[in-house]
Amino acid sequence: VRTHPSFDDHEHVSIYRDPKTGVEAIVAIHDTTLGPALGGCRMWSYPSRHEALDDVLRLSRGMTYKNALAGLPHGGGKAVIVADPRTDKSEALFEAFGDHVETLGGRYITAEDVGISDADMEIVARRTGHVRGIRATGLGDPSPYTAWGVFCGIRAAVRHRFRRASLEGLTVAVQGLGHVGGRLAALLHADGARLIVADIDTDRVAEVAARCGADVAPVDRIHAADADLFAPCALGGGLNAATIPEIRAKVVCGAANNQLRTPGDAAALVARDILYAPDYLVNAGGVISIAPERPGMTADEMKERIARIDSTLSFVLKRADAEGVSPAVIADRVAEERIFEAARRKSA
Ligand code: NAI
């Protein structure tokens, strides 16, 4: 672990091996300046421990930035369980993971992520109270809140770019119609947008096309659709050297994590005069919903809290224009400033 290039900027990394199954879990705590590290646990059959480490270190650092920009009293952390979610799940495994989280004394708070279900996290919660996002501790499934946050981001971007207060008369291309994209499509439709959609799942495409009167694009051409706004809500890496020259939209704002394949892709979007809303800023509705600042917040109160994504993005976009750099650069800077300021106050 210590030889890993990303290890140095982490506060804590631990590897736990379940003696019964031999399964390994890695917990990475990147930074707790703003509070206990909050970030999901992913279950994935990584080909090697090195690749699992790469992922958990990258993801935990990402959570530090996301939580800081969302204004949450949480630092960044993440866990991975190196196992196949289709075949390797057992109660003993999740209880052992819960025991490991409990040994960290609350410095790391876990939640669901790829490969982990609500039922799995309920088992983890038998052994540790440091679990969020399950029905027992809050509002349940974060996806509707993520979709709402992205919608708030889209409204802010549209105001900034097109000087319009609603989506009426604008066309949005939505890539991916899953838990988040499907709900986002409904919100956009209700606000008057015309939709062009794509998904590899043809049933989902047919359902959204019927419900929202959307046009359908081929999955490999949705980024190039004749739209005002492009909302990537499928996988990461969709903004890259091949797709950016073909994008016709003037705004990119969507839920997918890690949309930029390389940091240079942010500059390529600026060069094409395409407004890019930083993914981790606008998709923070889910993490905000699992970390209620007050117990017992209702769904409506939570939506109001998440709507602050609108003002955060407006601030980032104005500063990006003033400084002539990508909003992605400014988002990172604002997150870092919040952490440095908190560290300064702590040491004062
Ligand atoms: P999901 O798995 O429910 O939906 C993804 C959809 O994308 C599926 O319908 C899938 O068929 C489709 N898809 C996959 N490859 C595609 C392709 N090449 N072209 C078009 N469609 C394709 O996932 P979910 O929960 O909706 O998340 C979407 C994105 O948002 C992911 O990148 C996720 O990491 C990110 N995200 C989700 C959050 C949540 O609360 N669910 C929170 C923050 C980020």
Side-chain angles (χ1 to χ4, degrees):
V1 175
R2 284 185 190 286
T3 55
H4 194 283
S6 296
F7 176 72
D8 274 354
D9 70 344
H10 273 71
E11 287 182 17
H12 167 104
V13 179
S14 55
I15 301 182
Y16 169 79
R17 186 179 296 102
D18 178 28
K20 283 197 214 101
T21 58
V23 168
E24 281 189 353
I26 310 176
V27 175
I29 298 176
H30 178 250
D31 191 287
T32 57
T33 307
L34 295 172
L38 174 64
C41 172
R42 182 167 284 197
M43 189 170 191
W44 198 252
S45 41
Y46 294 96
S48 70
R49 181 196 275 177
H50 195 86
E51 277 161 80
L53 249 182
D54 269 348
D55 211 28
V56 77
L57 295 175
R58 184 177 58 80
L59 293 166
S60 62
R61 184 182 303 99
M63 287 311 298
T64 296
Y65 281 81
K66 184 186 248 190
N67 292 342
L69 204 57
L72 293 174
H74 286 290
K78 201 89 184 182
V80 295
I81 298 177
V82 188
D84 188 334
R86 287 165 307 178
T87 52
D88 296 340
K89 288 187 178 182
S90 70
E91 289 201 13
L93 175 64
F94 290 118
E95 286 182 353
F97 175 68
D99 288 338
H100 183 58
V101 171
E102 183 62 19
T103 64
L104 299 171
R107 279 181 74 203
Y108 168 64
I109 301 168
T110 196
E112 264 175 60
D113 199 81
V114 177
I116 300 277
S117 70
D118 205 47
D120 302 334
M121 269 300 144
E122 299 277 359
I123 302 172
V124 175
R126 288 181 198 157
R127 306 301 267 253
T128 179
H130 306 300
V131 177
R132 295 288 179 279
I134 52 175
R135 282 251 161 251
T137 62
L139 296 162
D141 180 8
S143 310
Y145 298 97
T146 304
W148 168 246
V150 174
F151 178 68
C152 294
I154 286 178
R155 278 204 306 215
V158 160
R159 241 185 8 255
H160 188 88
R161 186 69 211 231
F162 303 116
R163 308 273 159 225
R164 289 186 188 218
S166 87
L167 276 283
E168 191 71 53
L170 294 177
T171 301
V172 184
V174 184
Q175 177 184 47
L177 303 169
H179 290 96
V180 181
R183 289 183 171 96
L184 178 65
L187 291 167
L188 294 166
H189 174 60
D191 203 41
R194 188 176 88 80
L195 298 180
I196 305 174
V197 299
D199 195 297
I200 50 173
D201 183 329
T202 48
D203 289 345
R204 282 189 190 157
V205 171
E207 191 269 313
V208 175
R211 181 162 44 90
C212 302
D215 289 331
V216 178
V219 282
D220 59 346
R221 299 306 301 160
I222 184 76
H223 65 278
D226 185 9
D228 301 292
L229 195 138
F230 173 42
C233 298
L235 308 175
L239 305 175
N240 55 57
T243 59
I244 291 171
E246 297 184 336
I247 294 175
R248 290 156 84 181
K250 283 288 162 208
V251 172
V252 176
C253 181
N257 274 313
N258 304 316
Q259 290 169 29
L260 302 167
R261 188 164 293 165
T262 68
D265 293 323
L269 287 163
V270 172
R272 286 217 51 222
D273 195 23
I274 297 170
L275 182 162
Y276 167 65
D279 48 12
Y280 73 87
L281 192 171
V282 298
N283 73 15
V287 75
I288 296 171
S289 80
I290 67 165
E293 277 134 78
R294 194 166 48 70
M297 272 175 90
T298 64
D300 282 344
E301 288 169 334
M302 184 52 77
K303 279 179 72 182
E304 227 171 275
R305 165 64 182 88
I306 290 168
R308 278 192 235 158
I309 285 175
D310 179 316
S311 50
T312 308
L313 180 60
S314 299
F315 172 77
V316 165
L317 294 178
K318 282 184 196 137
R319 200 165 140 184
D321 282 354
E323 298 186 27
V325 294
S326 166
V329 172
I330 300 297
D332 285 359
R333 251 183 235 163
V334 173
E336 283 162 9
E337 284 163 8
R338 287 186 179 170
I339 295 162
F340 290 143
E341 178 55 24
R344 198 187 57 73
R345 273 200 311 270
K346 268 187 179 175
S347 64

